[in-house]
C-alpha cells in the first residue's frame, strides 16, 4: 500500500526512481510521481494511473537532478487523481508519505488561519506547509522537519527533500515501514528492501519512532527524543532480479502455475531428510504443544489459512484454537492465557493490523510465532519464532501461491505437533506425511484442468452474484474462492458453510445465481453436501461442482458444470482445492477485462487501518 523511494547520489536519479517505483508496483497504487532537486529548485512530475503514464510524462518533459524522491499512491484522503498524487511540494520542500496523518484536519485549520493555501484533498499536504511554516520561522530544514514530525499523529512513513539543499534527505518511520540502503557515494530510502535490492545489499531497517538524516556520506538515525542511535546494517537476502511474467499474460496466472514448485520447496523445509517424516523447529513444537491455547490471527486471505489450520490443530493435534481477524482482535482487549502461543500469518510481514495484534499479544506474555513470505519484514523481526513460506515474490495483488504455501506450512506444523503431543499414532502420521509429500505432484495434475475451467468461466462470468459452498476444512476455501472472485472480477460473491445455506442464503438462489460447491466424495461430509446440492437444484440453481472422480460421477445429474480432480487425501484437500477456485476467478476476470494483477482499490500490503 503506497510506495516510497528516494535517492541521494551522483547519477541522474529519474531513471533509477522509475525503476524503484516499478518494483513497488506490487503494493497497489492509483497514481505516481517523482520530485528532484535541479539547480537548487524542486522539479516534479506526477500522473494518474499506471507508471507508464508517469514514464511518458518524463519522456516528453525530462526531469534532471541527482537527488530525488518518488511515490506510488494508494488513495486514502482525496480522489486518485494527478492533483492528489505525491510528491506534494512547494518552492521549499517536497514530501512523499505512506500512511495516515490522523490529526491533519486540526493542523490544516491552524495553517489556513496563518495564510497557507492548500491545493489538494490529502492529509499529506499538511506536512509540506507545516515544515514550511517552521522554516519561515527561521528553523533550518532538518530542525523544521523534526519540529513538524513531533506534531504528527497516526501511522506513517515519510521522506522529505529541500530546495537548495542537495546533500540532505530526512525520513521518519512511525508504524509504517521504511528502510535505508547504503551504496558507494549513493544513499537510498524505500518502503521495503525488495525495492532497494538492485542498487545495494546493505540495508538498515528503521524502527518505530526513528528519524533519519541521509546524506551522500551515510545516514544518522535518531530516536523520538532526538538521541542519535545505531540500527544494525545487514546484508539483505532479497534478490535484485526483477520478477517478470515470462510467457504468462498476468503475474497471477504465473503464480498459480508456480504452486507445484513453491509448495514443494516449502515442504522440503519441513521434511526430515533422514526419516522422510514431517518435522518443525523444536522450539516451535515445544511452545505449541505446551500451550493451553493457540491463537491464530491474520487478515484477508491469510485469515482463511488460519481458519483451515484451526481444523488441523484441533482435529489432528487436539490443541484448542481461537482464530480472529487482526483488525478486530487488536481492539477487543482479549484476555490471553498464561503460556499461550499466538501465531500470525502474513504474506508481506507488514500488515499494520496484524503487527499491532502481535504487539498486543507480546505485551500479554504470549510466545509469538509468525508465518511470513517476505523476508526481513517487521513481523519477522518482532517475533520469537519465524516460519518462512518459500513462495518467492508474489506480485499479483490477489494472493495465490502465498496462500497455498501458508497452508502447507500450517499443515506441516500441525502434523508435527500432533505427533509430538502423542495425539496421533505412527501409522496415521505416516499416512498424512505421505499425503503432504504428494501435494506438489497432484497440484501439477490439477493445473491440467485449466482449459475446462476456462470454458466454464465463460458461462459464470455473466452472473451478477455467485455463491460458494463448502464443509469442514473446505468451508474456508469456499470463503477464499468468493474473495478471489470479488477481488479481481468485481462480481459480488459470498462463501458459506454448506450447512448454513438453509439459514438465509437459500433465499438468493435462482437460475441467475451460480453455486460453486467444493465437495470431494472421500470427504466425511460428502453426503451432507449432496443434500445441499439437491436443495439448490430444486430451486433452479445451477451448480458448479468441484469434486473428485467418484463425486462428479455420483452428481452428474445435479451438477450443471463439473470439474473432476483425482483422489486427494482429506487432510491436504484445502491446499489442492484452492487451485480450481483461483483459476475460476482468474479466467472470469480476464473475460470481464479487469486489471487482474492490480485490481481497483486494492493493495498488496495494507499498512494503514
Amino acid at each position: 500500500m503506497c510506495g516510497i523511494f528516494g535517492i541521494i547520489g551522483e547519477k541522474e536519479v529519474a531513471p533509477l526512481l522509475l525503476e524503484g517505483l516499478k518494483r513497488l508496483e506490487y503494493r497497489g497504487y492509483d497514481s505516481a510521481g517523482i520530485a528532484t532537486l535541479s539547480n537548487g529548485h524542486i522539479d516534479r512530475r506526477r500522473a494518474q494511473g499506471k507508471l507508464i503514464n508517469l514514464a511518458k510524462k518524463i519522456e516528453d518533459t525530462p526531469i534532471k537532478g541527482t537527488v530525488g524522491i518518488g511515490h506510488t499512491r494508494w488513495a486514502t484522503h482525496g480522489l486518485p487523481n494527478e492533483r492528489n498524487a505525491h510528491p506534494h511540494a512547494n518552492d521549499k520542500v517536497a514530501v512523499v508519505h505512506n500512511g495516515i496523518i490522523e490529526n491533519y484536519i486540526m493542523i490544516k485549520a491552524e495553517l489556513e488561519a496563518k495564510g497557507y493555501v492548500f491545493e489538494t484533498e490529502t492529509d499529506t499536504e499538511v506536512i509540506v506547509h507545516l515544515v514550511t511554516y517552521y522554516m519561515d520561522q527561521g528553523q533550518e530544514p532538518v530542525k523544521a522537519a523534526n519540529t513538524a514530525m513531533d506534531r504528527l499523529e497516526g501511522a506513517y512513513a515519510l521522506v522529505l527533500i529541500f530546495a537548495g539543499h542537495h546533500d540532505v534527505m530526512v525520513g521518519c518511520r512511525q508504524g509504517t515501514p521504511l528502510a535505508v540502503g547504503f551504496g558507494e557515494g549513493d544513499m537510498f530510502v524505500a518502503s521495503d528492501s525488495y525495492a532497494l535490492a538492485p542498487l545495494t545489499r546493505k540495508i538498515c531497517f528503521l524502527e518505530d519512532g526513528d528519524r533519519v538524516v541521509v546524506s551522500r556520506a551515510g545516514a544518522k538515525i535518531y530516536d523520538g527524543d532526538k538521541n542519535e542511535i545505531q540500527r544494525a546494517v545487514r546484508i539483505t537476502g532479497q534478490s535484485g532480479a526483477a520478477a517478470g511474467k515470462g510467457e504468462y499474460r498476468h503475474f497471477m496466472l504465473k503464480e498459480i502455475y508456480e504452486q507445484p514448485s513453491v509448495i514443494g520447496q516449502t515442504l522440503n523445509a519441513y521434511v526430515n531428510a533422514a526419516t522422510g517424516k514431517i518435522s518443525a523447529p523444536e522450539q516451535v513444537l515445544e511452545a505449541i504443544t505446551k500451550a493451553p491455547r493457540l491463537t491464530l490471527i491474520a487478515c484477508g486471505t491469510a485469515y482463511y489459512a488460519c481458519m483451515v489450520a484451526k481444523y488441523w490443530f484441533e482435529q489432528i493435534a487436539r490443541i484448542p484454537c481461537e482464530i480472529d481477524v487482526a483488525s478486530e482482535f487488536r481492539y477487543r482487549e482479549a484476555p490471553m492465557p498464561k503460556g499461550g502461543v499466538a501465531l500470525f500469518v502474513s504474506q508481506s510481514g507488514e500488515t499494520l493490523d496484524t503487527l499491532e495484534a502481535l504487539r498486543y499479544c507480546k505485551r500479554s506474555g504470549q510466545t509469538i510465532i509468525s508465518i511470513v513470505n517476505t523476508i526481513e519484514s517487521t513481523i519477522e523481526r518482532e517475533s520469537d519464532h519465524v516460519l518462512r513460506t518459500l513462495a518467492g515474490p508474489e506480485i499479483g495483488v490477489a494472493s495465490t501461491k502465498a496462500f497455498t504455501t501458508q497452508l502447507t506450512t500450517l499443515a506441516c506444523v500441525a502434523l508435527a505437533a500432533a505427533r509430538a503431543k502423542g495425539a496421533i499414532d505412527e501409522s496415521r502420521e505416516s499416512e498424512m506425511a505421505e499425503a503432504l509429500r504428494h501435494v506438489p505432484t497432484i497440484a501439477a495434475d490439477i493445473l491440467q484442468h485449466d482449459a475446462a475451467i476456462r470454458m466454464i468461466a465463460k458461462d459464470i462470468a455473466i452472473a451478477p452474484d455467485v455463491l460458494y459452498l463448502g464443509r469442514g476444512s473446505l468451508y474456508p476455501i469456499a470463503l477464499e474462492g468468493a474473495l478471489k472472485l470479488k477481488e479481481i472480477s468485481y462480481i459480488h460473491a459470498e462463501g458459506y458453510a454448506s450447512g448454513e445455506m438453509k439459514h438465509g442464503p437459500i433465499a438468493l438462489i435462482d437460475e441467475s445465481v451460480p453455486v460453486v460447491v467444493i465437495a470431494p466424495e472421500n470427504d466425511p461430509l460428502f453426503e451432507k453436501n449432496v443434500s445441499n446440492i439437491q436443495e439448490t437444484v430444486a430451486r433452479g440453481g445451477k451448480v458448479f461442482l468441484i469434486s473428485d472422480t467418484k463425486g462428479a460421477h455420483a452428481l452428474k445429474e445435479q451438477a450443471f458444470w463439473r470439474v473432476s480432480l483425482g483422489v486427494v487425501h482429506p487432510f491436504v484437500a484445502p491446499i489442492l482445492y484452492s487451485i480450481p477456485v483461483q483459476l475460476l476467478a482468474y479466467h472470469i476476470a480476464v473475460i470481464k477485462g479487469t486489471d487482474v494483477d492490480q485490481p481497483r482499490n486494492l493493495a498488496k500490503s495494507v499498512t494503514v487501518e
Side-chain angles (χ1 to χ4, degrees):
M1 181 172 290
C2 296
I4 286 173
F5 200 76
I7 305 174
I8 290 183
E10 299 174 345
K11 304 174 184 176
E12 290 292 327
V13 296
L16 296 174
L17 288 171
L18 281 173
E19 187 61 32
L21 294 181
K22 189 172 183 180
R23 290 177 69 89
L24 290 168
E25 280 190 293
Y26 77 95
R27 297 170 70 96
Y29 70 106
D30 42 49
S31 62
I34 67 173
T36 64
L37 294 183
S38 179
N39 296 320
H41 301 288
I42 294 170
D43 200 2
R44 198 170 40 145
R45 303 287 183 273
R46 298 176 296 168
Q48 181 178 348
K50 300 304 180 186
L51 271 174
I52 191 171
N53 299 334
L54 177 62
K56 181 67 166 59
K57 276 201 167 187
I58 294 171
E59 181 183 344
D60 293 342
T61 313
I63 185 169
K64 300 293 185 179
T66 59
V67 179
I69 51 178
H71 192 265
T72 52
R73 176 180 185 247
W74 186 87
T76 53
H77 297 80
L79 296 172
N81 55 26
E82 183 175 331
R83 183 164 63 95
N84 290 325
H86 297 214
H88 290 286
N90 56 21
D91 61 353
K92 292 186 178 181
V93 61
V95 64
V96 288
H97 159 232
N98 290 352
I100 294 174
I101 306 301
E102 294 176 352
N103 60 336
Y104 86 99
I105 294 176
M106 179 190 71
I107 295 173
K108 181 178 180 179
E110 176 187 322
L111 290 166
E112 286 179 324
K114 295 180 186 296
Y116 291 88
V117 178
F118 285 74
E119 300 177 349
T120 77
E121 303 164 329
T122 71
D123 56 338
T124 305
E125 193 180 358
V126 301
I127 303 169
V128 173
H129 296 302
L130 191 59
V131 173
T132 300
Y133 167 72
Y134 290 119
M135 291 175 68
D136 290 344
Q137 301 304 302
Q139 294 186 12
E140 54 84 24
V142 174
K143 182 172 177 56
N146 273 304
T147 307
M149 288 185 287
D150 287 341
R151 297 198 53 195
L152 303 179
E153 297 175 6
Y156 55 85
L158 55 90
V159 179
L160 304 103
I161 57 175
F162 308 90
H165 297 266
H166 284 250
D167 197 32
V168 64
M169 181 180 289
V170 176
C172 176
R173 171 189 171 147
Q174 185 62 56
T176 299
L178 197 65
V180 178
F182 296 78
E184 298 295 332
D186 304 296
M187 292 292 295
F188 315 94
V189 290
S191 304
D192 59 42
S193 58
Y194 178 65
L196 295 170
L199 298 170
T200 179
R201 296 194 65 207
K202 294 174 65 177
I203 307 289
C204 172
F205 295 95
L206 300 186
E207 301 293 338
D208 276 355
D210 285 357
R211 297 170 187 186
V212 62
V213 179
V214 180
S215 68
R216 287 176 178 81
K220 292 185 177 181
I221 301 173
Y222 303 86
D223 62 20
D225 296 322
K226 317 298 190 302
N227 300 311
E228 186 170 355
I229 54 175
Q230 300 295 318
R231 295 293 183 206
V233 177
R234 64 184 76 189
I235 303 300
T236 178
Q238 293 280 13
S239 168
K245 291 194 286 282
E247 63 185 23
Y248 296 94
R249 183 175 176 183
H250 298 99
F251 278 108
M252 183 178 177
L253 185 61
K254 174 176 178 278
E255 289 157 3
I256 289 171
Y257 269 79
E258 287 175 342
Q259 287 176 117
S261 174
V262 296
I263 290 171
Q265 291 170 19
T266 300
L267 272 173
N268 286 340
Y270 298 95
V271 175
N272 186 310
T275 65
K277 293 183 177 181
I278 304 297
S279 63
E282 286 299 324
Q283 290 177 313
V284 171
L285 292 180
E286 183 179 3
I288 290 175
T289 55
K290 290 183 177 179
R293 187 181 78 203
L294 179 59
T295 305
L296 300 113
I297 300 172
C299 297
T301 288
Y303 172 70
Y304 297 145
C306 290
M307 288 185 70
V308 174
K310 179 179 172 71
Y311 286 92
W312 288 334
F313 279 112
E314 291 191 339
Q315 288 183 343
I316 301 167
R318 310 304 298 163
I319 296 172
C321 287
E322 178 181 338
I323 57 170
D324 214 331
V325 176
S327 57
E328 289 298 316
F329 175 87
R330 63 180 289 200
Y331 294 112
R332 207 174 71 235
E333 299 182 3
M336 307 303 291
K338 184 177 181 180
V341 170
L343 192 154
F344 297 85
V345 182
S346 171
Q347 190 284 135
S348 69
E350 300 291 355
T351 306
L352 183 62
D353 286 322
T354 305
L355 180 58
E356 290 301 328
L358 182 155
R359 290 167 175 165
Y360 175 86
C361 289
K362 203 166 191 176
R363 293 193 298 270
S364 301
Q366 304 298 285
T367 297
I368 306 298
I369 300 172
S370 65
I371 295 176
V372 294
N373 186 51
T374 304
I375 64 175
E376 302 162 344
S377 65
T378 306
I379 287 176
E380 175 176 327
R381 297 197 303 273
E382 296 195 18
S383 299
D384 298 311
H385 309 289
V386 179
L387 302 170
R388 288 180 180 166
T389 56
L390 301 178
E394 187 178 66
I395 306 302
V397 167
S399 183
T400 53
K401 63 177 182 173
F403 177 60
T404 51
T405 53
Q406 287 166 355
L407 288 174
T408 301
T409 301
L410 287 161
C412 290
V413 174
L415 181 57
R419 187 61 180 145
K421 196 171 181 179
I424 57 174
D425 59 23
E426 188 171 351
S427 173
R428 192 168 181 220
E429 177 197 15
S430 297
E431 173 192 333
M432 291 181 167
E434 184 73 5
L436 272 170
R437 289 195 294 270
H438 280 88
V439 166
T441 301
I442 299 173
D445 291 340
I446 290 173
L447 289 169
Q448 301 303 309
H449 295 275
D450 188 4
I453 294 171
R454 184 167 64 249
M455 295 301 295
I456 294 168
K458 292 179 181 179
D459 292 336
I460 297 179
I462 63 174
D465 306 276
V466 180
L467 297 181
Y468 287 72
L469 301 178
R471 279 186 180 264
S473 63
L474 292 172
Y475 160 46
I477 306 308
L479 293 170
E480 169 63 7
L483 177 63
K484 282 289 157 287
L485 191 65
K486 283 182 282 194
E487 284 181 317
I488 63 172
S489 76
Y490 316 145
I491 292 175
H492 174 254
E494 297 294 338
Y496 290 95
S498 299
E500 288 296 294
M501 190 175 74
K502 292 187 291 293
H503 297 276
I506 199 169
L508 300 173
I509 293 174
D510 61 27
E511 65 279 358
S512 69
V513 180
V515 181
V516 180
V517 183
I518 307 164
E521 189 274 339
N522 67 343
D523 187 286
L525 298 173
F526 178 71
E527 293 302 326
K528 303 286 187 184
N529 273 312
V530 170
S531 297
N532 298 129
I533 290 169
Q534 290 170 336
E535 289 163 351
T536 299
V537 173
R539 286 156 180 82
K542 293 179 180 178
V543 171
F544 174 23
L545 176 66
I546 304 175
S547 186
D548 50 26
T549 304
K550 287 186 178 180
H553 179 74
L555 293 167
K556 63 182 180 180
E557 300 299 327
Q558 289 84 8
F560 193 84
W561 309 277
R562 292 177 293 160
V563 166
S564 172
L565 311 182
V567 176
V568 172
H569 192 288
F571 173 46
V572 298
I575 306 171
L576 292 162
Y577 275 78
S578 299
I579 298 173
V581 298
Q582 293 170 356
L583 287 169
L584 179 65
Y586 171 77
H587 288 303
I588 289 175
V590 170
I591 290 165
K592 292 184 72 67
T594 62
D595 190 339
V596 172
D597 288 331
Q598 294 171 5
R600 68 188 184 198
N601 304 332
L602 295 180
K604 187 69 175 173
S605 177
V606 182
T607 55
V608 297
E609 288 194 71

